[in-house]
Amino acid sequence: MLPLWVWACLAGALAQTGRNATQAGLTARLGTLGATNVRFLYGLPFACVFLTLALWQTGEPLPALTPRAIGFTALGALMQIAGTALMLQVMRSQAFGVTTAWLKVEPVLVAVVGWAVLGDPLTAPMLAAIAVAVLGVLILTLKPGLGRAMFAEARPAAMGLLSGFAFGLSAIGFRGGIISLPEGGFLVRALTILVLSLTIQSLVLAAWLSLRDRAALTGSFRVWKPSLAAGLLGAGASACWFIAFSLTSAANVRTLALVEVVFAVAVSVLIFRQKTTGRQLLGMAVLLAGVALLARVSG
């Protein structure tokens, strides 16, 4: 049987795919940062409900927030916003494909940083599985000729690596916050840090938008009905990711999260009737092979 963290990751990837589809319409109306704010703002109430239900079901007290747990969680929350901001900058670049391809090596960065900062296990079989999964994503996303461009254009490569590093630090921060809590089962600890991180992100983005884009901030309150669906799916996806973070290393979670690419391709084929190429099928096969290997060697 597959371990619980694998099921949590798969559920998180499915929920995130649904959230992205739901959020697409909001992006057109509010802009990317405004839609991102919706993800946090409307996800926070649902996360609070999840935590309340977990406390009621388990009978556990709310874990005490230590300075170390708060610090790690703040790092994760802020780095996730930074990674998103870098991606927004990437979208304005003519070398979007190159930058995005480099961003896909994030799991490798997470594995090394997690080993160095948190003492997460890092074995040769795990590194091999991560490398295979990342290779699958690169095959899936790289267009002909883009592979050479990855190494020929320094600035897009740096932007992609920096964005991936920011997202990697966010994963390290979230896992560090969870394992720094002194008490509680994995579910309560995961949901406690989720609520804390969404609170930090909602406050930071609200402050930023109030200064730089007040129209997007007020608009996020006007579109509350469609935003509720995005908030529910986003909170559900994040809850699954955080549960996985509480059970295994950040590298395992971020690597398995790559299956979201497969789900996105499936949505494009089944719903939008788009055709897949042989390269995409090969990439998905290699990605799934790497994920299966990781699940096997990580147990």
Side-chain angles (χ1 to χ4, degrees):
M1 295 181 62
L2 292 175
L4 180 58
W5 70 266
V6 172
W7 291 111
C9 285
L10 293 175
L14 278 172
Q16 188 157 303
T17 302
R19 186 210 69 200
N20 291 341
T22 304
Q23 203 172 13
L26 294 173
T27 302
R29 300 172 66 177
L30 301 175
T32 308
L33 270 183
T36 302
N37 180 54
V38 164
R39 167 189 171 185
F40 300 133
L41 181 64
Y42 287 90
L44 178 57
F46 290 108
C48 291
V49 171
F50 297 160
L51 176 57
T52 301
L53 290 175
L55 293 172
W56 172 71
Q57 183 66 30
T58 62
E60 299 176 9
L62 186 69
L65 292 175
T66 64
R68 179 180 173 86
I70 295 173
F72 266 117
T73 305
L75 170 68
L78 296 177
M79 285 298 100
Q80 190 173 53
I81 293 176
T84 302
L86 285 168
M87 284 187 62
L88 296 181
Q89 186 65 31
V90 166
M91 289 179 182
R92 302 174 183 173
S93 170
Q94 294 181 347
F96 174 75
V98 175
T99 315
T100 303
W102 275 108
L103 192 151
K104 300 301 182 183
V105 305
E106 175 206 344
V108 179
L109 301 174
V110 174
V112 175
V113 176
W115 168 76
V117 176
L118 301 177
D120 284 341
L122 184 60
T123 64
M126 287 177 60
L127 277 176
I130 293 170
V132 171
V134 170
L135 175 62
V137 174
L138 292 178
I139 293 173
L140 208 160
T141 56
L142 285 179
K143 296 181 179 179
L146 190 56
R148 292 189 299 273
M150 283 182 66
F151 298 95
E153 303 183 38
R155 186 172 182 274
M159 288 183 65
L161 284 172
L162 189 58
S163 181
F165 189 66
F167 281 119
L169 284 180
S170 75
I172 297 299
F174 293 144
R175 172 159 166 79
I178 292 169
I179 65 177
S180 296
L181 291 177
E183 57 190 355
F186 73 91
L187 180 61
V188 169
R189 286 187 290 116
L191 295 178
T192 298
I193 295 302
L194 173 60
V195 169
L196 177 60
S197 67
L198 287 176
T199 300
I200 294 172
Q201 290 167 325
S202 297
L203 291 174
V204 169
L205 267 182
W208 175 266
L209 290 175
S210 66
L211 295 174
R212 303 297 296 270
D213 194 350
R214 189 163 296 179
L217 179 62
T218 56
S220 64
F221 294 104
R222 287 197 299 269
V223 295
W224 64 269
K225 287 185 178 180
S227 298
L228 285 176
L232 174 59
L233 288 170
S238 296
C240 291
W241 297 131
F242 278 57
I243 290 171
F245 282 137
S246 71
L247 296 170
T248 189
S249 69
N252 287 347
V253 177
R254 295 309 300 159
T255 301
L256 193 52
L258 295 175
V259 299
E260 181 191 350
V261 179
V262 178
F263 294 153
V265 172
V267 168
S268 69
V269 172
L270 297 175
I271 297 179
F272 299 108
R273 304 298 180 184
Q274 298 176 352
K275 295 182 178 179
T276 56
T277 65
R279 173 180 53 80
Q280 288 176 318
L281 292 174
L282 174 62
M284 286 189 287
V286 174
L287 167 59
L288 293 176
V291 166
L293 178 60
L294 181 67
R296 182 177 179 83
V297 300
S298 300

